[in-house]
Amino acid sequence: MELKSIRQLKINQKAIIKHIKARGELGRRIRDMGLLPGTEIQIVGRAPLKDPVALRLKGFTLTLRNNEADYILVEELDVPTDY
Amino acid sequence: MSQQTIKVALAGNPNSGKTTLFNALTGAHQQVGNYPGITVEKKEGFLELNGYSLHFIDLPGTYSLTAYSQEELVARNFLVHERPDLVVDVINANSLERNLYLAIQILELGAPLILALNMMDEVRAQGININSSLLSKRLGVPVVETVARQGLGKKMLVQTILKTAQQSPQWKPLTISYGPDLDPAIQEMVAHIQEANFQTNTYPPRWLALKFLENDEEIKSIVLKENPALYKKIEQIHKTVSDHCEQTLNTYPEAIIADYRYGFISSLLKDVVKKNTHTERIAISDQIDKVLTHKVMGPIFMFLVLYGVYKLTFFLGEYPLHWLNAFFDFIALTIDRLLPAGLLKSLLISGVIGGVGGVISFVPLIAVMFLFLSFLEDSGYMARVAYMLDRIFRFFGLHGSSIMPFIISGGIAGGCAVPGVMAARTLRSPKEKLATILTVPFMTCGAKLPVFILLTGIFFPTQKAFVLFSISMLGWVVALFVAKFLRSTIIRGPATPFVMELPPYRLPTWQGLLIHSWEKTWMYLKKAGTVILGISIFIWFLMTFPTLPQHQALTYLKQIKQLELKIQQLSNKSKNTELLAKLKQKQKTLVQQLKREKLLHSFAGRLGKSLEKFTQLAGFDWKINIALLGGFAAKEVIISTLGTVYSLDTSNEGANLAAKIQKDPSWTKAKAIALMIFVLLYAPCMVTIVTIAKEESWLWAGFSLVFNTIVAFALSSLAYQLLS
């Protein structure tokens, strides 16, 4: 399946992280928060100006800027959302 | 009988309830300081029990123990160099997996650990079951369940700390496998480190090796400095394995390490966490966010909240402020009555009481502001504000959290930069924080307002509101663009990653709010207080010395005395009130004139005169210069100093300052606008300068003094030249 960036996902959509391109400080921060390949995420919202984006993963909500989220490539899960 | 002291460090993620637990454990027995050389707070607390003295250190909240932020470095260096007897890692049990990431790193360092699974009430409410005894068995460390907000589990935790401490645990680093690619490299590195016997008592060799693979600049530079030969060997291994990972796996050691750590955590948590998905409810927090971060309702609510916080801060801060001012006026008056006229009296009233009063008068504002600020932070709303506003502030090289300092400083006209600069503590990104602190003094603080009101009243009587609003807006525009300028020149560099947790909404505890507000206020008094007093006395010195030659002063004093005698005679004899009033006015004018002569003779007066050559560019004469110099002590002083320097104009006795300015032909609209721009933008007052020095450094405080004045002068000169 084709890899997408988080920017392309709709709200409530779930996806699995496949690859993280970020290095250095951003890469470390992203990993520290548990964003790793294989992690399931769900888009929970976007700020009023469409940026940053808020994600749900591992029982908490995380927000990051679109240009930071662009380093995270995901594969969509087409399972319908639970709620 | 001597007590045994047990040093316990509290570690944990931000929003894990670490500070709440710290407050619950130690109550009021706390002290706050700073780690040497940096502005990260060091909080310590004490608890006496069963002949033991527990000494708690609340480490800064971090997600990891890398070297990317000051907080992480502080937490890590404390563990490495201070070697606490025990570490309690406060875990937000709602996101156990991520919170254990820090715990694993503490264990890899070898510190004796106790896990406090906090917020267990929320976990249970979500239908999640955590088998903490299984987790304890797997990790080999005690696990205690707590609900810090209600103080639940506190006793159990203390008992566990005592019990563990009695067994005098040793530092034993945890060993995790990092897979077939890294493990051999780590072993090789460890062998070299052990061979060189490189500070193995401070840094566990395996941990040191891992830090090389993680490309940890701090550790690498230490090894390079202490043992260049060892550094060369290890770095060579790092490079080889790094290239290998790059070529064969398209990844790099840092990422692999994180992968394996999380892998280790998932194996730990197998069967530990059981989720009953049927009872999993949509978190209330998500529901609230649907409204509070909604694209239309969110911003509206946010501006109401920010406006409300601003209004309430200055409304509630005003009453104690008046009481304090009245109190200091009373002391000044008492000294005035008791002491004979002279330098000592002048020093006490203008220098000391002015200084102490100046310091104390900010206390109510700071206390109230931090009460609201910690409410917004602890409730989780501040993170939403940053989330909603980040897109705008990022354009200027700032952070969504910059909004609060801007508003408090006078983004809504009438604020104050002192609590504003302190409000920047919510920013965790150092560059964005510095740019925020350096630009908030451009806002329309309450002390600048009287100048604007005076001048708009004289020169723009029909467009008062419009001009005041424009000035306020100019503050915003200059602040934001100067921030952009600074972030692309001297504070250059990529934006600090925003990556931020949106914690669930929680009702803050009263204890937490009060302790937080009290600490901040006390820190301000302790750290800024003495310096401000010193500067205040220095400014008094500049405006008093050299004193007026005796004979000059005497001519005034004689006249004043004569008038006083006349007034006494008159008031005893006749009821000629008109004449009496006239004489009294004349006397008052003479007193003012004496004051003016004294001021002109002083260093400040001379400086103002000699600066006239330059300040003519902006249309400022020496009278304005002196007032502006005085305004450095406090912007409120500008009007009163102008009043003093304009007091010579005896042709229209009894006229107030506004009337005098109106009649002075040298005053034009252009000059008024130039002056308003200058007052808005020039050097922050000394209390703000000292606060900046305490929050950042004296270098940046000095920078803001010079830089802001240059910006102000350039813009006001430009305005003056264009308009006249």
Side-chain angles (χ1 to χ4, degrees), chain A residues 22 28 51 56 63 65 68, chain B residues 66 214 252 254 390 394:
Chain A
R28 176 93 46 101
D51 185 12
R56 164 72 39 85
T63 157
R65 292 172 178 157
E68 295 165 350
Chain B
T66 57
E214 285 183 320
Y252 40 102
E254 238 190 294
D390 186 66
R394 187 204 321 165

Side-chain angles (χ1 to χ4, degrees), chain B residues 31-211:
Chain B
Q31 59 189 45
V32 197
N34 271 44
Y35 290 95
I38 49 171
T39 51
V40 177
E41 267 173 23
K42 182 180 190 177
K43 290 176 72 172
E44 293 169 275
F46 304 91
L47 179 69
E48 310 269 327
L49 198 80
N50 301 350
Y52 287 94
S53 170
L54 296 177
H55 177 186
F56 289 100
I57 300 99
D58 187 19
L59 297 178
T62 62
Y63 293 107
S64 176
L65 290 181
T66 57
Y68 275 120
S69 73
Q70 272 188 348
E71 285 81 10
E72 288 175 348
L73 263 182
V74 162
R76 177 168 104 186
N77 284 338
F78 185 87
L79 297 180
V80 170
H81 298 295
E82 309 269 328
R83 293 239 162 184
D85 298 307
L86 275 173
V87 179
V88 173
D89 184 359
V90 185
I91 299 258
N92 176 354
N94 289 299
S95 44
L96 191 55
E97 192 180 348
R98 193 204 65 216
N99 276 260
L100 282 174
Y101 191 69
L102 177 70
I104 296 302
Q105 293 181 58
I106 297 172
L107 284 172
E108 284 190 295
L109 208 47
L113 186 71
I114 294 173
L115 289 188
L117 294 189
N118 196 22
M119 304 187 181
M120 282 307 289
D121 52 339
E122 293 178 14
V123 171
R124 289 189 197 112
Q126 285 183 67
I128 297 172
N129 187 25
I130 298 178
N131 186 343
S132 52
S133 59
L134 184 59
L135 179 65
S136 166
K137 219 170 93 191
R138 288 213 181 126
L139 260 181
V141 305
V143 177
V144 182
E145 299 185 0
T146 60
V147 183
R149 295 167 49 91
Q150 292 155 28
L152 298 179
K154 186 176 101 180
K155 266 192 191 145
M156 188 64 196
L157 179 62
V158 173
Q159 291 305 325
T160 312
I161 290 172
L162 291 180
K163 213 174 107 192
T164 315
Q166 276 159 3
Q167 297 158 354
S168 35
Q170 299 301 305
W171 281 59
K172 250 189 286 158
L174 170 78
T175 303
I176 299 177
S177 163
Y178 287 103
D181 294 292
L182 295 190
D183 273 348
I186 294 173
Q187 261 163 33
E188 218 181 315
M189 286 175 162
V190 167
H192 284 302
I193 295 166
Q194 273 167 344
E195 193 189 24
N197 198 14
F198 184 82
Q199 304 188 11
T200 42
N201 286 330
T202 311
Y203 308 105
R206 196 178 157 84
W207 185 82
L208 204 66
L210 278 173
K211 288 295 142 188

Side-chain angles (χ1 to χ4, degrees), chain B residues 553-599:
Chain B
L554 271 181
T555 32
Y556 282 99
L557 288 173
K558 256 186 207 158
Q559 287 183 58
I560 294 170
K561 256 274 154 56
Q562 276 171 2
L563 276 171
E564 202 174 313
L565 276 175
K566 244 187 198 168
I567 291 168
Q568 252 172 23
Q569 285 169 355
L570 260 176
S571 55
N572 285 343
K573 276 187 212 155
S574 74
K575 295 272 180 278
N576 190 345
T577 44
E578 208 173 301
L579 185 65
L580 206 65
K582 220 170 177 182
L583 284 175
K584 273 186 178 161
Q585 186 55 48
K586 206 167 174 181
Q587 190 200 17
K588 219 171 133 189
T589 315
L590 274 170
V591 173
Q592 281 285 324
Q593 282 176 11
L594 175 62
K595 245 174 139 177
R596 175 180 184 276
E597 287 300 314
K598 281 180 173 170
L599 185 58

Side-chain angles (χ1 to χ4, degrees), chain B residues 26 151 155 193 216 219 239 245 312 359 397 463 490 493 542 556 581-582 604 614 634 699:
Chain B
T26 60
K155 266 192 191 145
I193 295 166
D216 189 296
I219 294 296
K239 217 185 153 313
C245 294
L312 271 173
V359 171
Q463 302 136 292
I490 35 180
L542 285 185
Y556 282 99
K582 220 170 177 182
F614 306 102
L699 189 76

Side-chain angles (χ1 to χ4, degrees), chain B residues 440-675:
Chain B
V440 291
F442 289 132
M443 294 288 148
T444 315
C445 79
K448 295 171 187 170
L449 270 179
V451 181
F452 302 153
I453 290 170
L454 175 82
L455 293 177
T456 47
I458 300 170
F459 294 97
F460 306 94
T462 51
Q463 302 136 292
K464 240 174 138 173
F466 170 72
V467 175
L468 278 177
F469 179 75
S470 309
I471 280 284
S472 224
M473 280 300 112
L474 182 71
W476 272 101
V477 172
V478 172
L480 290 176
F481 280 96
V482 166
K484 175 106 184 144
F485 168 76
L486 291 175
R487 286 289 278 115
S488 38
T489 52
I490 35 180
I491 330 175
R492 188 175 38 229
T496 313
F498 184 73
V499 188
M500 181 183 74
E501 199 182 343
L502 286 182
Y505 290 104
R506 291 193 180 96
L507 203 62
T509 62
W510 273 109
Q511 192 191 27
L513 295 184
L514 291 176
I515 288 180
H516 192 81
S517 163
W518 158 251
E519 272 168 15
K520 294 296 185 296
T521 313
W522 177 239
M523 285 279 264
Y524 161 79
L525 272 178
K526 207 168 66 174
K527 289 168 66 189
T530 44
V531 188
I532 294 168
L533 181 60
I535 297 181
S536 169
I537 291 175
F538 178 67
I539 293 176
W540 167 83
F541 178 83
L542 285 185
M543 296 187 87
T544 312
F545 290 91
T547 48
L548 203 61
Q550 196 92 40
H551 64 274
Q552 270 180 341
L554 271 181
T555 32
Y556 282 99
L557 288 173
K558 256 186 207 158
Q559 287 183 58
I560 294 170
K561 256 274 154 56
Q562 276 171 2
L563 276 171
E564 202 174 313
L565 276 175
K566 244 187 198 168
I567 291 168
Q568 252 172 23
Q569 285 169 355
L570 260 176
S571 55
N572 285 343
K573 276 187 212 155
S574 74
K575 295 272 180 278
N576 190 345
T577 44
E578 208 173 301
L579 185 65
L580 206 65
K582 220 170 177 182
L583 284 175
K584 273 186 178 161
Q585 186 55 48
K586 206 167 174 181
Q587 190 200 17
K588 219 171 133 189
T589 315
L590 274 170
V591 173
Q592 281 285 324
Q593 282 176 11
L594 175 62
K595 245 174 139 177
R596 175 180 184 276
E597 287 300 314
K598 281 180 173 170
L599 185 58
L600 284 185
H601 199 77
S602 72
F603 289 117
R606 290 168 198 209
L607 189 62
K609 274 199 158 159
S610 61
L611 283 174
E612 200 179 60
K613 287 194 279 299
F614 306 102
T615 56
Q616 277 303 338
L617 260 179
F620 303 159
D621 53 22
W622 56 269
K623 294 178 197 168
I624 296 178
N625 289 351
I626 296 175
L628 291 173
L629 282 171
F632 174 63
K635 300 276 153 91
E636 288 92 341
V637 176
I638 296 175
I639 294 275
S640 63
T641 314
L642 263 183
T644 307
V645 284
Y646 267 92
S647 60
L648 188 69
D649 199 0
T650 45
S651 55
N652 47 354
E653 274 178 47
N656 61 18
L657 181 60
K660 280 175 185 163
I661 289 175
Q662 209 153 21
K663 287 205 173 140
D664 188 335
S666 76
W667 276 91
T668 57
K669 274 190 181 181
K671 183 170 168 176
I673 290 175
L675 182 59

Side-chain angles (χ1 to χ4, degrees), chain B residues 337-352:
Chain B
R337 284 214 190 100
L338 292 178
L339 286 180
L343 280 179
L344 177 69
K345 179 162 146 180
S346 163
L347 169 68
L348 283 179
I349 292 181
S350 306
V352 178

Side-chain angles (χ1 to χ4, degrees), chain B residues 190-496:
Chain B
V190 167
H192 284 302
I193 295 166
Q194 273 167 344
E195 193 189 24
N197 198 14
F198 184 82
Q199 304 188 11
T200 42
N201 286 330
T202 311
Y203 308 105
R206 196 178 157 84
W207 185 82
L208 204 66
L210 278 173
K211 288 295 142 188
F212 265 78
L213 291 176
E214 285 183 320
N215 232 337
D216 189 296
E217 294 302 333
E218 202 222 1
I219 294 296
K220 281 172 90 170
S221 70
I222 290 173
V223 180
L224 178 64
K225 205 176 126 211
E226 307 279 324
N227 192 340
L230 177 68
Y231 176 86
K232 231 177 132 186
K233 280 184 208 158
I234 309 182
E235 187 56 19
Q236 185 54 47
I237 303 171
H238 170 214
K239 217 185 153 313
T240 315
V241 70
S242 189
D243 289 345
H244 171 77
C245 294
E246 191 95 38
Q247 282 155 17
T248 59
L249 303 162
N250 185 27
T251 182
Y252 40 102
E254 238 190 294
I256 298 177
I257 291 173
D259 269 356
Y260 273 87
R261 272 193 196 134
Y262 269 106
F264 181 75
I265 293 169
S266 6
S267 64
L268 276 178
L269 290 183
K270 213 168 184 186
D271 304 322
V272 166
V273 181
K274 278 197 190 121
K275 225 186 265 186
N276 188 349
T277 42
H278 294 293
T279 56
E280 191 181 28
R281 59 201 176 112
I282 306 172
I284 305 167
S285 214
D286 281 9
Q287 294 288 38
I288 301 176
D289 265 338
K290 286 213 169 101
V291 180
L292 294 194
T293 62
H294 183 267
K295 65 178 178 225
V296 181
M297 287 179 280
I300 293 174
F301 183 78
M302 175 176 65
F303 284 111
L304 286 178
V305 168
L306 293 177
Y307 187 77
V309 164
Y310 168 84
K311 276 285 168 197
L312 271 173
T313 301
F314 288 94
F315 173 73
L316 293 177
E318 203 181 292
Y319 292 99
L321 190 73
H322 280 315
W323 302 331
L324 282 172
N325 281 343
F327 175 70
F328 282 105
D329 284 348
F330 169 76
I331 295 187
L333 211 71
T334 314
I335 292 179
D336 192 35
R337 284 214 190 100
L338 292 178
L339 286 180
L343 280 179
L344 177 69
K345 179 162 146 180
S346 163
L347 169 68
L348 283 179
I349 292 181
S350 306
V352 178
I353 302 217
V356 173
V359 171
I360 308 265
S361 66
F362 290 101
V363 163
L365 275 185
I366 292 174
V368 177
M369 191 273 292
F370 271 110
L371 213 54
F372 285 114
L373 196 65
S374 23
F375 183 88
L376 290 185
E377 262 194 282
D378 294 356
S379 65
Y381 189 64
M382 205 58 221
R384 270 72 181 186
V385 171
Y387 167 69
M388 284 190 275
L389 280 172
D390 186 66
R391 188 68 199 86
I392 299 171
F393 278 88
R394 187 204 321 165
F395 177 77
F396 299 101
L398 300 168
H399 185 279
S401 300
S402 301
I403 184 71
M404 212 58 205
F406 274 101
I407 295 224
I408 295 285
S409 298
I412 300 171
C416 174
V418 175
V421 166
M422 294 176 80
R425 288 190 180 190
T426 42
L427 275 98
R428 285 179 143 253
S429 327
K431 286 187 205 122
E432 286 83 348
K433 180 182 167 197
L434 178 60
T436 305
I437 285 180
L438 290 179
T439 50
V440 291
F442 289 132
M443 294 288 148
T444 315
C445 79
K448 295 171 187 170
L449 270 179
V451 181
F452 302 153
I453 290 170
L454 175 82
L455 293 177
T456 47
I458 300 170
F459 294 97
F460 306 94
T462 51
Q463 302 136 292
K464 240 174 138 173
F466 170 72
V467 175
L468 278 177
F469 179 75
S470 309
I471 280 284
S472 224
M473 280 300 112
L474 182 71
W476 272 101
V477 172
V478 172
L480 290 176
F481 280 96
V482 166
K484 175 106 184 144
F485 168 76
L486 291 175
R487 286 289 278 115
S488 38
T489 52
I490 35 180
I491 330 175
R492 188 175 38 229
T496 313

